[in-house]
Amino acid sequence: MDLSSSLATPQALRGGSLTGPLAAHAARRRSVQLLLRPRRPTARCSVDAAKQQVQGPPAAVTAEAEAEAAPGKECFGVFCTTYDLKADEKTRSWKKLVNVAVSGAAGMISNHLLFKLASGEVFGQDQPIALKLLGSERSLQALEGVAMELEDSLYPLLREVSIGIDPYVVFEDADWALLIGAKPRGPGVERAALLDINGQIFAEQGKALNAVASRNVKVIVVGNPCNTNALICLKNAPNLQAKNFHALTRLDENRAKCQLALKAGVFYDKVSNMTIWGNHSTTQVPDFLNAKIDGKPVKEVIKDTKWLEEDFTVTVQKRGGVLIQKWGRSSAASTAVSIVDAMRSLVTPTPEGDWFSTGVYTTGNPYGIAEDIVFSMPCRSKGDGDYELVKDVVMDDFLWGRIKKSEVELIAEKRCVAHLTGEGNAFCDLPGDTMLPGEM
Amino acid sequence: MDLSSSLATPQALRGGSLTGPLAAHAARRRSVQLLLRPRRPTARCSVDAAKQQVQGPPAAVTAEAEAEAAPGKECFGVFCTTYDLKADEKTRSWKKLVNVAVSGAAGMISNHLLFKLASGEVFGQDQPIALKLLGSERSLQALEGVAMELEDSLYPLLREVSIGIDPYVVFEDADWALLIGAKPRGPGVERAALLDINGQIFAEQGKALNAVASRNVKVIVVGNPCNTNALICLKNAPNLQAKNFHALTRLDENRAKCQLALKAGVFYDKVSNMTIWGNHSTTQVPDFLNAKIDGKPVKEVIKDTKWLEEDFTVTVQKRGGVLIQKWGRSSAASTAVSIVDAMRSLVTPTPEGDWFSTGVYTTGNPYGIAEDIVFSMPCRSKGDGDYELVKDVVMDDFLWGRIKKSEVELIAEKRCVAHLTGEGNAFCDLPGDTMLPGEM
């Protein structure tokens, strides 16, 4: 995949040299620094080489000795403090700091997710973490509020928190980028319009990742329409590996497992090998052909074929809508849980014989699904952040027919955003509204 | 303490016999059952003796075989499934199920807390958990939404979720009761009026705990004014141990630690021995005399005495208000974290030489604080759910003078709620408004 020549703003893709848009970003970055310099005069910002210095016993601090914070990056409050993990017996054996960037960081999903990340739920109790929060100018105050709550939570693993509104700053050295922020679909907005509006955000963020993130960054796109947003993002980041871009279908997988368990009258931990195929939309295919209950094929346990073929998928898909009706808000908490699950599936070995679903780049897939789109498929991981597609799945006409429908939709979505992927003029001819109920 | 003879409704305190108010509750309970029977026809409720049955391989389920759910308790959806932890190799070595009741379960603090509890953050990865959610008639739909999101999260440790609006049902066999729900203070509502309104809720909940909870239940009161609410609660539960009732001051402690760290230019994990003394109000006393930074007395590290004596406490107390300004909402996430911290401090041994703060019953305290109120003090735990007050603290006139002010306030609050604690007629003469900024 080499698209750099055909992309809308090829300058941005050179990877790090401060010309064109990047130079403009550098200027913006300086002004953002000014805006974000910690308000508290006692905070000393040093998220840089100084972080490696040994910190001796704390020196006496007097009112006079409090110098103005040195201009640095957008660290926040107590997270600007210097420390040395190697100097402290409790933290000496910890791993190297992992940088996790989160967009839409002032939103409700992030409000759950950030505290889970900080607590060690994803990476374990020996993995210190830096959270890099990306918001908008409008949400900047709220981001500070989030950072304050993270301070007040005293998580030992959380070592750095920075906030900002420029992806070229916030994504710097990111090992993970969790792209949650997206414009919600207002009343009367067509899916095509949403693809364009949000697609532009993800094109920009793809460019920023391409320029400044870790070369091995794992990207999880949550903002909708997430499959095509992930495609746009990876197309704008040609220097990164396409296979490291994911579209989140884990909440769909979790909901599908729960509904199969409920139908079979078993606890949800008995359901395995659940695949969500395709788009995170109403064309998605929760796969009851390959899924298992207590190690047996679902169809041997649930004999109600009509329910499996008709009601099951609808129930999974309507879940978000029902939840909004009940709870009055969209499902922020369980979405955050599913992001944690998706990350954990990549950093811990997949249990023997099982798999998980994630929307990934199709080029090279063994199933015969069209190449060059982002499609949810069954995967396994050794726990190293990488994954491989599962080969031993079975197909029948019913399953394959539904997979094809989702494929057709994703190819149509791709044509809608050709102007954002560097593939010429967009031509948008989408089928009916396939947005999942309850999605923002 | 034997107050049963003077309590407003002594019948409720007999502990389990279905006479008087309890009989009325039993009737209400039947109607609540009807209201709450899971809507999904496939759910089979059996949070009872059947839970102990061995579940064999799942039987085939057909549309015809789906009988109407048997009337049982208010279990929800997949959590009504039968299972046997002893029959499964993965769960065989797990501990006995712990019952955690949460009031205000549809609110934002709970929305963070419940998922933390379910993930094992408090009790560890071998402790299965039952969540018993208490809401109001108005929040019942929202409670169902919360239960649905808990289902969709597939937490292996979360084995039972029930929802209800009657504390006499929801608190049954509770090992923990986290009392978060309380009326927020509307505009123009005096603290005295709030004490009366919320005090009635906590009197009722105390009676319910007394009647149906585990005899060893640990109660953490979060709803404000939490110290006096905890006092009311324990006075209405004479058959439970007064020392097991806590008022949450842990968020104050966490904030105080963070502010000392920030001032000293160290990371927050260097601050220890932090006590919040007194009321969870503006009379609270964050104790910089006994606190330590990197093992040294705070005063040796922070020489700015004016900041310690004047600004420090104000900064800690204003934190909630600043946060609301920034974030637009009150601090739900960090409050939930502090509840987790408070619980974990009781179920894990306190690190050597350190302590934590919690608002507990003063009778028998070694400091000379007035007896028979709930006052935040320094505690240590062996990790068995119990705690002891720390004896080796130092006092000076400055610290003692401030402790006395908080004591005076709590004694005045107690007089305001005498009608709710069975101690005669209330007489309310409170000083100015001491509600913490940003508190509901």
Side-chain angles (χ1 to χ4, degrees):
Chain A
M1 182 183 72
D2 181 8
L3 295 155
S4 53
S5 60
S6 61
L7 274 160
T9 53
Q11 306 95 308
L13 300 168
R14 279 178 207 149
S17 69
L18 288 184
T19 60
L22 275 186
H25 277 292
R28 236 160 80 199
R29 184 167 158 174
R30 280 189 294 275
S31 70
V32 171
Q33 278 174 5
L34 216 64
L35 190 60
L36 287 180
R37 199 178 302 165
R39 274 84 178 139
R40 295 196 205 75
T42 50
R44 287 172 300 175
C45 288
S46 54
V47 188
D48 54 16
K51 273 269 146 67
Q52 304 309 318
Q53 291 171 5
V54 176
Q55 187 201 321
V61 181
T62 62
E64 296 71 36
E66 281 160 19
E68 170 68 347
K73 293 192 188 164
E74 296 74 4
C75 63
F76 188 90
V78 79
F79 299 108
C80 301
T81 308
T82 55
Y83 53 83
D84 178 16
L85 297 177
K86 293 296 170 208
D88 192 321
E89 204 183 328
K90 274 187 289 186
T91 60
R92 192 167 295 155
S93 61
W94 283 8
K95 295 175 185 158
K96 190 170 158 283
L97 195 75
V98 64
N99 289 312
V100 183
V102 180
S103 80
M108 284 316 295
I109 295 171
S110 297
N111 201 240
H112 285 271
L113 179 62
L114 295 169
F115 292 80
K116 288 173 187 298
L117 292 168
S119 77
E121 261 194 70
V122 172
F123 299 108
Q125 294 304 317
D126 60 349
Q127 175 60 73
I129 189 166
L131 291 175
K132 301 155 84 75
L133 314 185
L134 180 65
S136 62
E137 221 143 326
R138 205 170 50 86
S139 69
L140 202 51
Q141 289 263 319
L143 277 191
E144 287 186 40
V146 172
M148 286 171 69
E149 284 209 81
L150 287 167
E151 279 188 304
D152 291 344
S153 297
L154 310 182
Y155 284 116
L157 294 167
L158 183 63
R159 290 288 159 161
E160 298 178 20
V161 174
S162 56
I163 62 183
I165 61 175
D166 183 347
Y168 283 80
V169 178
V170 176
F171 292 165
E172 206 169 308
D173 299 325
D175 300 302
W176 291 81
L178 313 175
L179 305 185
I180 299 169
K183 283 259 189 317
R185 190 174 57 154
V189 175
E190 298 283 320
R191 188 173 173 89
L194 193 69
L195 273 168
D196 182 55
I197 296 166
N198 281 336
Q200 296 192 31
I201 296 173
F202 288 91
E204 168 83 356
Q205 293 185 355
K207 291 187 180 83
L209 288 166
N210 194 60
V212 301
S214 156
R215 295 301 87 186
N216 201 29
V217 63
K218 316 296 179 216
V219 182
I220 300 182
V221 177
V222 180
N224 282 314
C226 65
N227 291 54
T228 299
N229 286 342
L231 183 72
I232 294 167
C233 202
L234 72 88
K235 292 281 186 176
N236 282 278
N239 297 343
L240 302 176
Q241 291 182 69
K243 76 174 299 192
N244 283 339
F245 289 74
H246 300 257
L248 186 80
T249 54
R250 188 56 170 265
L251 181 55
D252 306 301
E253 176 186 325
N254 288 356
R255 286 171 172 173
K257 279 183 164 179
C258 185
Q259 293 306 313
L260 286 180
L262 199 55
K263 180 71 176 178
V266 300
F267 197 63
Y268 42 60
D269 65 344
K270 298 288 178 226
V271 185
S272 65
N273 303 82
M274 185 72 232
T275 313
I276 300 292
W277 295 92
N279 200 0
H280 178 72
S281 76
T282 58
T283 69
Q284 71 176 211
V285 186
D287 175 358
F288 55 83
L289 183 64
N290 287 287
K292 290 178 182 166
I293 295 175
D294 228 1
K296 292 185 197 176
V298 166
K299 285 176 150 185
E300 283 181 28
V301 179
I302 299 173
K303 304 285 191 188
D304 184 351
T305 308
K306 181 178 169 298
W307 183 86
L308 285 174
E309 293 189 350
E310 295 171 23
D311 304 341
F312 168 50
T313 299
V314 175
T315 306
V316 170
Q317 294 180 350
K318 281 198 173 155
R319 188 83 172 162
V322 173
L323 215 140
I324 283 197
Q325 276 171 15
K326 300 262 183 208
W327 165 233
R329 293 173 242 217
S330 64
S331 46
S334 53
T335 303
V337 170
S338 76
I339 298 170
V340 165
D341 289 344
M343 296 176 76
R344 201 155 38 187
S345 285
L346 293 171
V347 298
T348 49
T350 310
E352 184 64 34
D354 201 359
W355 62 64
F356 58 92
S357 315
T358 175
V360 286
Y361 194 54
T362 50
T363 296
N365 81 84
Y367 314 113
I369 294 163
E371 307 226 317
D372 202 32
I373 54 177
V374 169
F375 204 86
S376 185
M377 298 180 285
C379 297
R380 291 180 50 79
S381 174
K382 294 192 180 71
D384 54 359
D386 206 354
Y387 63 89
E388 52 190 30
L389 296 173
V390 173
K391 291 196 180 66
D392 52 338
V393 293
V394 292
M395 284 284 170
D396 63 10
D397 288 346
F398 183 80
L399 177 57
W400 186 244
R402 297 171 74 210
I403 285 175
K404 283 311 242 185
K405 269 194 194 156
S406 206
E407 180 195 292
V408 165
E409 178 180 54
L410 280 166
I411 292 170
E413 286 190 15
K414 183 178 154 186
R415 280 197 300 267
C416 281
V417 298
H419 60 303
L420 298 170
T421 58
E423 286 165 359
N425 292 326
F427 168 73
C428 216
D429 181 23
L430 289 176
D433 190 352
T434 60
M435 211 73 180
L436 287 166
E439 297 278 74
M440 53 173 199
Chain B
M1 181 184 70
D2 181 8
L3 297 156
S4 53
S5 59
S6 61
L7 274 158
T9 53
Q11 307 95 308
L13 299 168
R14 279 180 206 148
S17 67
L18 287 183
T19 60
L22 275 186
H25 277 292
R28 237 159 80 200
R29 182 170 160 174
R30 281 188 294 275
S31 69
V32 171
Q33 277 174 6
L34 214 64
L35 189 61
L36 287 180
R37 199 179 301 167
R39 273 84 177 138
R40 296 196 205 75
T42 50
R44 289 173 300 177
C45 287
S46 54
V47 189
D48 52 17
K51 272 267 148 67
Q52 303 310 317
Q53 291 171 6
V54 176
Q55 187 200 322
V61 181
T62 63
E64 295 73 36
E66 281 162 16
E68 171 68 348
K73 295 194 187 162
E74 295 75 4
C75 63
F76 187 90
V78 78
F79 299 109
C80 301
T81 309
T82 54
Y83 53 82
D84 178 16
L85 297 176
K86 293 294 169 208
D88 192 321
E89 204 182 327
K90 274 188 289 188
T91 59
R92 192 167 296 155
S93 61
W94 283 7
K95 296 175 186 158
K96 191 171 158 283
L97 195 75
V98 63
N99 290 313
V100 183
V102 180
S103 80
M108 285 315 296
I109 295 171
S110 296
N111 201 240
H112 284 272
L113 178 62
L114 295 170
F115 292 80
K116 287 173 187 295
L117 291 169
S119 76
E121 259 194 71
V122 172
F123 298 109
Q125 294 305 316
D126 61 349
Q127 176 60 72
I129 188 165
L131 290 176
K132 303 155 83 73
L133 314 185
L134 180 66
S136 62
E137 222 144 326
R138 206 170 51 86
S139 70
L140 201 52
Q141 289 262 320
L143 276 192
E144 286 186 39
V146 172
M148 286 171 70
E149 284 210 79
L150 287 167
E151 277 188 305
D152 291 345
S153 298
L154 309 182
Y155 284 115
L157 294 166
L158 183 62
R159 292 286 159 162
E160 298 179 18
V161 174
S162 56
I163 62 184
I165 60 174
D166 183 347
Y168 282 81
V169 178
V170 176
F171 292 165
E172 205 169 311
D173 299 325
D175 299 303
W176 291 81
L178 312 174
L179 305 184
I180 299 169
K183 284 259 189 319
R185 189 176 57 156
V189 176
E190 298 283 321
R191 188 173 173 89
L194 192 70
L195 273 168
D196 182 54
I197 296 165
N198 281 336
Q200 295 192 30
I201 295 173
F202 289 90
E204 168 82 355
Q205 294 185 355
K207 291 187 179 83
L209 288 167
N210 194 61
V212 301
S214 156
R215 294 302 85 184
N216 201 28
V217 63
K218 315 296 179 215
V219 182
I220 299 182
V221 177
V222 179
N224 282 316
C226 65
N227 292 53
T228 298
N229 286 342
L231 183 72
I232 294 167
C233 202
L234 74 87
K235 291 280 185 175
N236 282 278
N239 297 341
L240 302 176
Q241 290 182 71
K243 77 174 298 194
N244 283 338
F245 289 74
H246 300 257
L248 185 79
T249 53
R250 188 56 170 266
L251 180 55
D252 307 300
E253 176 185 326
N254 288 355
R255 287 171 171 172
K257 279 182 164 179
C258 185
Q259 292 307 313
L260 286 180
L262 199 56
K263 180 71 178 179
V266 300
F267 197 62
Y268 43 59
D269 65 346
K270 298 286 179 226
V271 185
S272 65
N273 305 80
M274 185 72 233
T275 313
I276 300 293
W277 295 93
N279 200 1
H280 177 71
S281 77
T282 57
T283 67
Q284 70 177 213
V285 185
D287 174 359
F288 55 83
L289 182 64
N290 287 285
K292 290 179 182 168
I293 296 176
D294 227 359
K296 292 185 197 173
V298 166
K299 285 177 150 184
E300 283 180 27
V301 179
I302 300 174
K303 304 284 191 188
D304 184 350
T305 308
K306 181 179 169 297
W307 184 86
L308 285 174
E309 293 189 351
E310 295 171 22
D311 305 341
F312 168 51
T313 298
V314 175
T315 307
V316 170
Q317 293 180 350
K318 281 198 175 157
R319 188 83 170 162
V322 173
L323 215 140
I324 283 197
Q325 276 171 15
K326 299 263 183 207
W327 165 236
R329 292 172 242 217
S330 64
S331 47
S334 53
T335 303
V337 169
S338 76
I339 297 170
V340 165
D341 289 343
M343 295 175 77
R344 202 154 38 187
S345 285
L346 293 171
V347 299
T348 48
T350 310
E352 184 63 35
D354 203 359
W355 63 65
F356 58 92
S357 314
T358 175
V360 285
Y361 194 55
T362 50
T363 297
N365 82 83
Y367 314 113
I369 294 162
E371 307 227 317
D372 202 33
I373 55 178
V374 170
F375 204 85
S376 185
M377 298 180 285
C379 296
R380 291 181 49 82
S381 174
K382 294 190 179 71
D384 54 359
D386 206 355
Y387 63 90
E388 52 191 32
L389 296 173
V390 172
K391 291 194 179 68
D392 52 339
V393 294
V394 291
M395 285 284 169
D396 63 11
D397 288 346
F398 183 80
L399 177 58
W400 186 244
R402 296 170 74 210
I403 286 175
K404 283 311 240 185
K405 270 193 194 159
S406 207
E407 179 196 292
V408 165
E409 178 181 52
L410 280 166
I411 292 169
E413 286 190 16
K414 182 177 152 187
R415 278 196 301 264
C416 282
V417 298
H419 60 304
L420 297 170
T421 58
E423 287 165 0
N425 293 324
F427 169 75
C428 217
D429 182 23
L430 289 177
D433 191 352
T434 59
M435 211 74 178
L436 288 165
E439 296 277 76
M440 53 178 199

